[in-house]
Amino acid sequence: MKPDARGYFGAFGGRFVPEVLAYALDELERAVAEAFEDGRFWSEYRELLATYVGRPAPLYRARRFETGGVPLVVKREDLNHTGSHKINNTLGQAMLAQRMGKRRVIAETGAGQHGVAAATVGAKFGFPVDVYMGARDVERQAPNVALMRLLGATVHSVSSGTQTLKDATNEAFRVWAAEVEESLSFIGSVVGAHPYPYMVREFQRVIGDEAREQCAREYGRLPSDVVACVGGGSNAIGIFTAFLDSGGVRLWGVEAAGEGIESGRTAASLGAGSIGVLHGSRSYVLQSAEGQVLETHSISAGLDYPGVGPEHAYLKESGRVSYVSVRDGEALESFFDFARAEGIVPALESAHALAFARSISRERGGGDLVLVNLSGRGDKDLAHVGRLSS
Ligand SMILES: *Cc1c(COP(=O)(O)O)cnc(C)c1O
């Protein structure tokens, strides 16, 4: 579905920003509307997805990881250039920036995956890229910082607040407000003020559009279940969108429980949060009773965010998608199991989806088929996992 004219999915979304940014968002909204109506925009996008990103991403049946009798099939976003689904989005935003005559790009990043994808397309399109990253993340994600610099981006370390993604996002917005004329801010998930959640979804829906066709062609049916991890929610909405109108397909969004929803050390915004405003839109937020945004915890940096995209809040309330959560330990177990059973190292984020998918595939039978979005590869997680297991 399209958000309404004010950018709402039901009661969620909208635009809660200062005046200067409202002007920039209006401009972006007009550019998005024009580009999305332009067949040449989409044909150029599709060609770059094929030649630059390496799409379509195949479906692969994980026969040795499966436990029940039903196929567990993964969508291989890990094979994309730069190793995750994030490039589908930054490529589209770079094409928009070019169309809008912008000369610079601003990006926020947590783990660095979106920063790397933004720096990559910045190099390809010839834009200077300024990446804002919390000081703690700059330290924790040193290989990605080196990669962004190699690609020509400038990485700014943000030392306010908790020195993580939430603070980097605030800083990126502040900088954008000062240079809206010449810059476009790239957002890495289906979060932020309208039109970002809608725009980013349209760039990620290729995942589900491809997967639906591949399931029909290769397995002769639709999946019984579609499973994806949810940080901000872009890979999940990307694979869900093609199946929303097929009532028989169960959709599962898997959040990071961290050490457990009850422990307080969690990143499950839909499971443990309440309705509030964060980074420009109304959705579920992990916050105190006074509305103070809480510090989050997850073993996976890409899921460690106190908010979630407004369309997910809407899909939760409508009941069309079920949101569940998986703990650090369960995700880590699936990370190792999947690597050793299939010879594919999944991202720790994706390992949350794999853990849940394996648990439900035990209860399935007949002609069921469980489809999982393998949102990225796990090379980036090796140092972190090594520290945990030594
Ligand atoms: C960033 C990231 C995520 C989380 O972001 P979403 O917007 O929720 O998709 C998940 N998996 C990987 C591999 C990532 O890099």
Side-chain angles (χ1 to χ4, degrees):
M1 86 186 244
K2 257 185 124 157
D4 71 18
R6 288 157 51 245
Y8 280 86
F9 300 91
F12 304 100
R15 189 181 275 179
F16 297 80
V17 296
E19 195 108 12
V20 271
L21 285 186
Y23 159 83
L25 292 165
D26 279 338
E27 185 196 15
L28 177 60
E29 192 179 348
R30 281 193 301 274
V32 166
E34 276 171 29
F36 285 9
E37 288 293 310
D38 182 352
R40 279 169 316 178
F41 180 82
W42 290 115
S43 54
E44 186 187 338
Y45 178 64
R46 275 192 300 270
E47 167 158 1
L48 287 173
L49 286 180
T51 59
Y52 191 69
V53 176
R55 302 201 73 92
L59 290 191
Y60 166 74
R61 179 169 175 186
R63 286 178 186 275
R64 276 172 36 83
F65 180 77
E66 279 170 20
T67 44
V70 307
L72 192 155
V73 172
V74 297
K75 177 67 169 163
R76 304 272 329 257
E77 294 298 308
D78 63 307
L79 292 177
N80 294 340
H81 180 41
T82 72
S84 81
H85 66 292
K86 295 238 166 50
I87 189 94
N88 303 330
N89 172 43
T90 54
L91 190 61
Q93 293 193 44
M95 286 177 57
L96 275 173
Q98 193 175 51
R99 237 180 123 94
M100 294 169 77
K102 299 294 181 186
R103 294 184 302 280
R104 310 180 62 81
V105 164
I106 296 168
E108 86 296 344
T109 197
Q113 296 304 105
H114 171 59
V116 168
T120 298
V121 297
K124 182 192 154 28
F125 283 78
F127 291 124
V129 178
D130 285 289
V131 178
Y132 292 85
M133 194 168 179
R136 258 172 67 194
D137 291 331
V138 168
E139 212 168 286
R140 289 190 289 190
Q141 313 290 338
N144 274 339
V145 173
L147 187 49
M148 287 182 260
R149 290 190 170 133
L150 170 74
L151 291 163
T154 308
V155 180
H156 303 267
S157 173
V158 177
S159 49
S160 55
T162 54
Q163 310 189 348
T164 59
L165 175 58
K166 165 174 75 69
D167 313 288
T169 306
N170 289 333
E171 182 65 8
F173 279 6
R174 201 187 59 72
V175 172
W176 191 32
E179 46 178 71
V180 284
E181 293 284 343
E182 60 188 82
S183 303
L184 183 63
S185 181
F186 284 9
I187 295 187
S189 189
V190 284
V191 300
H194 179 64
Y196 281 99
Y198 162 67
M199 173 182 78
V200 175
R201 179 193 77 193
E202 292 301 296
F203 290 135
Q204 293 293 1
R205 65 176 296 162
V206 62
I207 303 171
D209 289 343
E210 282 177 9
R212 187 180 168 111
E213 219 182 281
Q214 289 165 318
C215 279
R217 196 170 56 239
E218 295 163 27
Y219 296 89
R221 60 195 130 144
L222 287 179
S224 53
D225 302 84
V226 179
V227 184
C229 64
V230 176
S234 67
N235 86 87
I237 214 79
I239 198 164
F240 291 164
T241 298
F243 300 101
L244 282 176
D245 292 335
S246 301
V249 180
R250 284 171 286 235
L251 304 175
W252 303 95
V254 184
E255 295 193 295
E259 293 175 9
I261 298 258
E262 321 73 34
S263 72
R265 297 201 15 101
T266 182
S269 314
L270 290 164
S274 54
I275 294 170
V277 170
L278 179 67
H279 299 142
S281 62
R282 175 182 286 124
S283 185
Y284 277 75
V285 182
L286 283 165
Q287 57 189 340
S288 69
E290 296 78 39
Q292 188 82 22
V293 178
L294 297 174
E295 203 169 335
T296 53
H297 169 80
S298 167
I299 190 175
S300 112
L303 303 182
D304 205 354
Y305 178 66
V308 63
E311 192 172 359
H312 285 291
Y314 169 75
L315 291 168
K316 171 190 159 87
E317 302 253 304
S318 77
R320 178 63 189 95
V321 179
S322 304
Y323 293 90
V324 295
S325 61
V326 157
R327 291 166 182 251
D328 289 346
E330 302 166 287
L332 197 58
E333 190 186 335
S334 282
F335 174 88
F336 286 117
D337 286 354
F338 198 78
R340 287 172 191 172
E342 303 294 344
I344 298 171
V345 181
L348 276 172
E349 292 83 3
S350 321
H352 287 72
L354 290 169
F356 182 77
R358 184 162 59 170
S359 76
I360 56 167
S361 72
R362 291 195 185 103
E363 299 154 16
R364 298 290 181 265
D368 289 346
L369 181 145
V370 178
L371 172 66
V372 188
N373 199 10
L374 187 59
S375 55
R377 63 173 185 236
D379 309 42
K380 66 182 179 58
D381 297 313
L382 291 188
H384 185 48
V385 168
R387 275 195 297 275
L388 291 172
S389 49
S390 63

